[in-house]
Amino acid sequence: MSRVALVTGGMGGLGEAVCIKLAALGFRVVTTYSPGNEKVKDWLQGMHNLGYGFKAYPCDVTDFESARECIEIVTKDVGPVDVLVNNAGITRDMTFKKMTKADWDAVIHTNLDSVFNMTKQVLDGMTERRWGRIINVGSVNGQKGAFGQTNYSAAKAGIIGATKALAQEVGRKGVTANAVAPGFITTDMTGDLDEASLKQMIPLNRFGKPEEVAYLVSFLASEKSSYITGEVISINGGLYT
Ligand code: NDP
């Protein structure tokens, strides 16, 4: 039986591309969506029409109990999770001066606490089976910080630290933990940004495509990445090296 890969936020721009690339590698792909998101039926239908038999389960990644219930159901329905891609994320951009506690908390809970909430549910199984991949979606802004993103930069920097620490704990048990750090990628999240002006500071002179990040994530999920752990791999068109 093929391995199971779970992608949080798989209905988003990056997540969908990751699901598709993981399916191409032969994984049975499962995604999560925010409880109440009504787009799920249409999205699943669209994916089925393209030949992808994805399964989707509601999960609020900010909520430990929701994550526990979700993984319990996935394990029963599909099987134990072998690859976890912690991809769900949000932004609430504004200067620190204007940022409210709610803006700070929402971003930390969704981008960073989610990594704990989801990873905690699957890691013991991975170490018992002596194979697993944790792939965390960070950001260039967790590496360099970004104006108007103290909350997001803190969450993404936290992901980097957690990935490196976790890699040290579970390597002996056959589990790798890595992060990817994308720059500007064309998705809903960057839809309001002025690409024409921002691309001037990117050596490759354009935003990245979700597929480009998805290739990297799928490589990290594969056997081919077996000697890579604790890494943060930048994928940013040369924006920050
Ligand atoms: P999208 O906004 O397209 O997708 C974000 C996804 O996160 C959605 O599928 C959303 O699901 C999910 N999500 C948000 N909150 C929750 C929650 N509480 N519980 C469950 N799921 C949730 O953004 P991207 O695809 O661009 O972003 C994906 C990841 O890539 C994020 O972690 C982001 O920070 C990171 N990233 C993106 C970059 C870019 O330029 N686009 C650059 C660097 C990093 P739902 O719609 O169901 O709520």
Side-chain angles (χ1 to χ4, degrees):
M1 194 78 118
S2 54
R3 286 178 168 139
V4 175
L6 185 142
V7 181
T8 63
M11 280 163 50
L14 221 62
E16 179 182 297
V18 168
C19 289
I20 289 171
K21 290 284 179 271
L22 291 172
L25 284 184
F27 288 103
R28 282 177 291 148
V29 178
V30 176
T31 187
T32 70
Y33 59 93
S34 291
N37 187 333
E38 289 169 359
K39 290 188 202 148
V40 65
K41 264 192 187 160
D42 287 347
W43 183 81
L44 279 174
Q45 188 59 54
M47 289 292 119
H48 281 248
N49 293 345
L50 293 171
Y52 300 111
F54 300 150
K55 298 205 166 189
Y57 296 84
C59 178
D60 177 357
V61 296
T62 67
D63 178 0
F64 187 82
E65 188 53 23
S66 177
R68 195 195 61 70
E69 282 172 12
C70 172
I71 296 298
E72 191 175 85
I73 296 167
V74 168
T75 307
K76 269 190 206 140
D77 277 8
V78 190
V81 174
D82 301 297
V83 174
L84 172 65
V85 183
N86 284 309
N87 164 74
I90 58 166
T91 51
R92 292 278 184 278
D93 296 354
M94 65 205 70
T95 57
F96 189 76
K97 190 176 166 65
K98 293 186 185 151
M99 191 174 288
T100 65
K101 174 86 168 104
D103 298 321
W104 175 272
D105 286 346
V107 168
I108 299 292
H109 292 158
T110 309
N111 294 276
L112 182 58
D113 292 355
S114 58
V115 170
F116 178 84
N117 294 340
M118 297 304 296
T119 306
K120 193 75 181 161
Q121 317 302 335
V122 300
L123 195 69
D124 286 351
M126 289 178 181
T127 57
E128 277 157 25
R129 296 190 303 281
R130 301 261 153 188
W131 198 93
R133 299 274 191 267
I134 304 292
I135 303 161
N136 296 323
V137 180
S139 166
V140 64
N141 293 340
Q143 297 170 303
K144 70 172 189 58
F147 185 99
Q149 288 196 321
T150 47
N151 49 3
Y152 187 78
S153 301
K156 295 301 192 182
I159 284 179
I160 292 174
T163 303
K164 287 172 179 280
L166 186 64
Q168 294 176 38
E169 294 182 16
V170 296
R172 280 163 201 245
K173 307 258 172 79
V175 178
T176 65
N178 291 291
V180 298
F184 293 105
I185 309 297
T186 305
T187 69
D188 285 353
M189 188 176 269
T190 51
D192 292 337
L193 301 182
D194 179 2
E195 180 171 356
S197 123
L198 287 167
K199 73 179 189 182
Q200 305 299 329
M201 60 182 182
I202 304 170
L204 290 181
N205 201 36
R206 64 173 175 85
F207 280 13
K209 299 177 197 149
E211 297 73 28
E212 292 174 309
V213 179
Y215 272 119
L216 175 59
V217 172
S218 66
F219 167 71
L220 290 172
S222 74
E223 284 300 342
K224 290 178 183 160
S225 72
S226 47
Y227 204 52
I228 301 175
T229 196
E231 273 301 324
V232 181
I233 304 185
S234 295
I235 176 158
N236 59 32
L239 175 64
Y240 181 77
T241 52

